[in-house]
């Protein structure tokens, strides 16, 4: 969908829906005043009657609007103007788009707020609107005969003449980010009989080719040659039917001698738990256990399409963790790619075994900084809830850069400690370490395990087990994949350029 930018007056814009953001205590001037006059004072009366409050993400539909060019009007609250930021603006815009995209073949015009606080520009607001138009019109129910949301037939963002250039740049950026988020969402939301290591690798190859990127896919033989014993053990239960893959997507937007950012994603395309079998209730959403890999792919593609002046390589380790006569077992001792031996004490702690070898491979492939993403631990969800990403690092400056990018992007993240004594919980009597650290501090001991495979490179681990997959719909968010941290990764890359 191509999103246009126009400087038309709000009341003159033709569409099935005109979406207008309304702050609390709205200033009835400018475009808002002209729109109110064209509607015979309807908006003023609604404000006076407190039916139009402007509270964040509250919406009011007016379906009969003679006097303006649009067929229907949707007013959506922006909240207090001095509190408006990218996150709150996005919540309002997503609420509006999800509402109007519930019917087929709708055209939409979004009027950008005319008064914006410090910290959010017209370009930022236009990017948020474009992202909402792309993401909010696509649901997780694409395989239903009658999906709940539908792509828009046409979309326009209204800006002032003074901000038109900034708005056009913002719309271009927002559309690319939205499309990257939808790529991530689609990969996570599709069922595991459709997305498995080979099919994910094929989708990644196609997306990379479309973006003009180099894509390398390592199959079973190449992984064995690379001595990825930790990752290969996880795949043993289904490698005859769903063989593992490692996908490497390279973007070189910086100088040849510039540092390379590695984005590493856990890609367990279905996690049964292996012999440490999950109960059905815990297994039913395990198609989402490859969200880290999907996020790494979506972000790398977006960084390339935005033309950011950085070098970025995305790595996706792809396996199924299934049960068969070949499944790896409790008590097995695995040898990872970097020579570390690992005692298996829980086959459901498999994501870290996949990441161990992929992180080592990224280091040896020339990574200067690393971010990994994984739906790694339920312990992180217990600690931080379902909306917040856990952040772990061996380098505080690098952690601060990622946390700052998350704040700018409007995504919630929180750093947890990495004290040395947590590593003691991973000690084994028969190997260099074991793959679990016991009941306490599970998210941290998982991160301490991963730290063994980054060779002291500046590294941040993002545990997205909570926020990557939503259990239900909300007015501003579809259930299923959220594509969380795609925006943060793009912001990190932007800060390095």
């Amino acid at each position: 969908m191509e999103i246009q930018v126009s400087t038309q007056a709000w009341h003159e814009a033709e569409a099935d829906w005109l979406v207008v953001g309304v702050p609390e205590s709205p200033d009835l001037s400018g475009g808002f005043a002209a729109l109110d006059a064209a509607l015979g004072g309807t908006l003023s009366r609604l404000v006076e009657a407190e039916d139009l409050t402007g509270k964040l993400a509250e919406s009011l539909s007016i379906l009969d609007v003679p006097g303006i060019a649009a067929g229907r009007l949707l007013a959506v609250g922006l909240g207090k103007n001095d509190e408006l930021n990218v996150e709150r603006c996005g919540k309002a815009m997503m609420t509006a788009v999800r509402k109007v995209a519930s019917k087929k073949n709708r055209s939409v015009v979004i009027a950008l707020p005319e008064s914006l606080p410090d910290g959010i520009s017209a370009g930022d607001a236009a990017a948020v609107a474009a992202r909402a138009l792309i993401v909010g019109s696509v649901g997780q129910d694409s395989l239903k005969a009658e999906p709940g949301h539908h792509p828009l037939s046409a979309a326009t963002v209204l800006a002032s003449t003074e901000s038109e250039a900034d708005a056009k740049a913002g719309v271009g950026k927002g559309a690319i980010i939205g499309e990257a988020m939808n790529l991530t969402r689609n990969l996570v939301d599709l069922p595991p009989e459709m997305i498995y290591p080979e099919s994910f690798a094929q989708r990644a190859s196609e997306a990379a080719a479309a973006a003009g990127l180099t894509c390398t896919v390592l199959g079973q033989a190449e992984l064995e040659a690379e001595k990825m014993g930790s990752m290969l053990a996880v795949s043993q239960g289904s490698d005859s039917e769903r063989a593992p893959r490692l996908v490497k997507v390279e973007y070189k937007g910086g100088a040849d001698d510039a540092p390379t950012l590695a984005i590493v994603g856990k890609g367990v395309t279905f996690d049964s738990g292996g012999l440490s079998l999950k109960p059905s209730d815990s297994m039913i959403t395990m198609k989402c256990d490859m969200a880290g890999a999907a996020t790494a792919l979506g972000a790398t593609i977006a960084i390339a399409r935005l033309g950011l002046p950085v070098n970025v390589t995305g790595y996706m380790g792809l396996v199924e963790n299934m049960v068969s006569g070949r499944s790896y077992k409790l008590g097995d001792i695995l040898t990872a790619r970097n020579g570390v031996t690992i005692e298996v004490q829980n086959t459901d702690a498999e994501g870290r075994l996949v990441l161990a070898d992929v992180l080592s491979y990224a280091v040896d492939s020339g990574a200067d900084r690393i971010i990994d993403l994984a739906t790694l631990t339920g312990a992180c969800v217990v600690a931080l809830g379902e909306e917040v990403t856990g952040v772990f690092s061996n380098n505080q400056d690098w952690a601060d850069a990622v946390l700052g990018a998350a704040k700018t992007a409007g995504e919630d993240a929180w750093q947890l400690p990495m004290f040395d004594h947590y590593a003691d919980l991973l000690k084994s009597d028969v190997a260099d370490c074991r793959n679990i650290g016991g009941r306490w501090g599970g998210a941290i001991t998982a991160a301490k395990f991963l730290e063994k495979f980054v060779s002291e490179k500046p590294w941040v681990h993002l545990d997205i087990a909570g926020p990557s997959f939503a259990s239900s719909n909300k007015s501003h968010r579809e259930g299923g994949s959220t594509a969380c941290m795609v925006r943060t990764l793009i912001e990190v890359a932007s800060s390095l350029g």
Side-chain angles (χ1 to χ4, degrees):
M1 176 178 63
E2 184 177 357
I3 302 171
Q4 304 293 328
V5 175
S6 172
T7 58
Q8 278 183 295
W10 296 0
H11 61 286
E12 295 176 351
E14 294 185 7
D16 294 314
W17 283 96
L18 169 63
V19 174
V20 176
V22 182
E24 289 189 43
S25 305
D27 178 8
L28 301 183
S29 63
F32 199 98
L35 179 63
D36 189 34
L39 292 171
T42 295
L43 298 180
S44 297
R45 291 190 292 273
L46 289 170
V47 170
E48 185 176 354
E50 298 183 350
D51 291 322
L52 182 56
T53 67
K55 291 181 180 178
L56 182 63
E58 283 192 0
S59 63
L60 179 67
S61 301
I62 307 174
L63 303 182
D64 185 14
V65 283
I68 69 172
R72 304 168 184 81
L73 173 66
L74 178 65
V76 62
L78 297 174
K80 292 181 172 62
N81 196 60
D82 60 354
E83 296 178 356
L84 188 64
N85 55 25
V86 167
E87 179 184 9
R88 293 167 72 84
C89 186
K91 187 173 184 179
M93 292 297 104
M94 281 288 291
T95 298
V97 173
R98 282 175 50 75
K99 191 174 185 70
V100 303
S102 61
K103 299 287 180 66
K104 295 179 181 179
N105 299 318
R106 299 302 192 201
S107 57
V108 179
V109 171
I110 293 180
L112 295 182
E114 293 182 308
S115 176
L116 293 166
D118 292 341
I120 180 168
S121 66
D124 294 331
V128 168
R131 171 165 53 85
L133 287 163
I134 298 291
V135 175
S137 58
V138 177
Q140 64 173 325
D141 53 0
S142 62
L143 299 180
K144 292 179 69 172
E146 290 294 333
H149 291 86
H150 306 273
L152 302 167
S153 61
T156 302
V157 172
L158 298 181
S160 66
T161 302
E162 296 77 16
S163 64
E164 183 180 9
D166 287 343
K168 285 183 175 179
V171 163
K173 176 181 178 181
I176 288 172
I177 294 173
E179 288 163 4
M181 291 176 67
N182 278 353
L183 171 60
T184 297
R185 292 173 64 213
N186 182 248
L187 286 167
V188 176
D189 284 337
L190 286 176
E193 76 266 20
M194 297 178 69
I195 298 298
Y196 45 90
E198 185 179 8
S199 64
F200 185 111
Q202 181 61 35
R203 287 283 300 272
S205 296
E206 292 167 357
L213 304 183
T214 300
C215 181
T216 305
V217 178
L218 279 63
Q220 180 90 25
E222 292 89 350
L223 295 172
E224 290 172 357
E226 287 286 344
K227 299 182 179 179
M228 294 193 177
S230 182
M231 176 178 171
L232 287 167
V234 179
S235 74
Q236 283 177 193
S238 61
D239 60 9
S240 60
E241 293 82 18
R242 302 295 196 204
R245 295 288 188 272
L246 192 156
V247 175
K248 178 182 179 182
V249 176
E250 298 175 82
Y251 167 63
K252 295 188 179 297
D256 289 342
D257 59 351
T260 296
L261 168 63
I263 303 175
V264 178
K266 168 191 170 184
V268 180
T269 58
F270 187 78
D271 180 21
S272 71
L275 293 179
S276 304
L277 193 67
K278 294 177 184 287
S280 293
D281 286 350
S282 299
M283 201 189 303
I284 196 166
T285 58
M286 281 300 101
K287 66 180 183 179
C288 80
D289 214 22
M290 35 65 73
T295 304
L297 177 63
T300 304
I301 296 297
I303 290 164
R305 292 186 61 200
L306 290 167
L308 300 182
V310 292
N311 296 328
V312 176
T313 304
Y315 298 86
M316 292 131 258
L318 305 167
V319 302
E320 281 190 348
N321 184 25
M322 297 294 287
V323 178
S324 79
R326 280 182 43 78
S327 297
Y328 77 122
K329 303 167 183 68
L330 281 73
D332 280 353
I333 297 178
L334 315 178
T335 302
R337 185 178 181 278
N338 67 349
V340 171
T341 57
I342 306 162
E343 178 190 0
V344 176
Q345 291 200 340
N346 189 327
T347 64
D348 197 22
E350 85 300 330
R352 66 200 70 182
L353 298 175
V354 174
L355 285 173
D357 281 339
V358 183
L359 287 167
S360 172
Y361 182 75
V363 169
D364 288 348
S365 296
D368 295 287
R369 299 182 183 92
I370 303 171
I371 299 173
D372 81 67
L373 305 97
T375 48
L376 205 64
T377 66
C380 198
V381 187
V382 171
L384 299 178
E386 295 183 331
E387 306 283 344
V388 181
T389 293
V391 179
F392 310 80
S393 184
N394 64 353
N395 183 295
Q396 193 56 50
D397 288 343
W398 184 224
D400 289 342
V402 175
L403 288 163
K407 185 174 182 179
T408 300
E411 299 195 277
D412 292 330
W414 194 260
Q415 186 174 4
L416 281 82
M418 289 282 282
F419 300 127
D420 289 342
H421 63 76
Y422 286 106
D424 293 340
L425 299 173
L426 294 168
K427 288 182 177 178
S428 166
D429 293 332
V430 295
D432 295 326
C433 64
R434 53 182 182 162
N435 73 325
I436 58 171
R439 182 177 181 183
W440 309 117
I444 300 171
T445 55
K448 293 299 287 186
F449 177 89
L450 296 179
E451 188 178 20
K452 298 176 184 294
F453 303 93
V454 298
S455 297
E456 299 184 350
K457 297 287 185 180
W459 157 78
V460 165
H461 161 57
L462 300 177
D463 193 328
I464 58 173
S468 65
F469 196 84
S471 58
S472 61
N473 294 341
K474 292 186 177 181
S475 62
H476 66 281
R477 184 198 68 200
E478 180 78 356
S481 175
T482 64
C484 79
M485 306 313 284
V486 167
R487 288 178 286 144
T488 293
L489 292 172
I490 295 168
E491 195 63 40
V492 169
S494 296
S495 71
L496 297 177

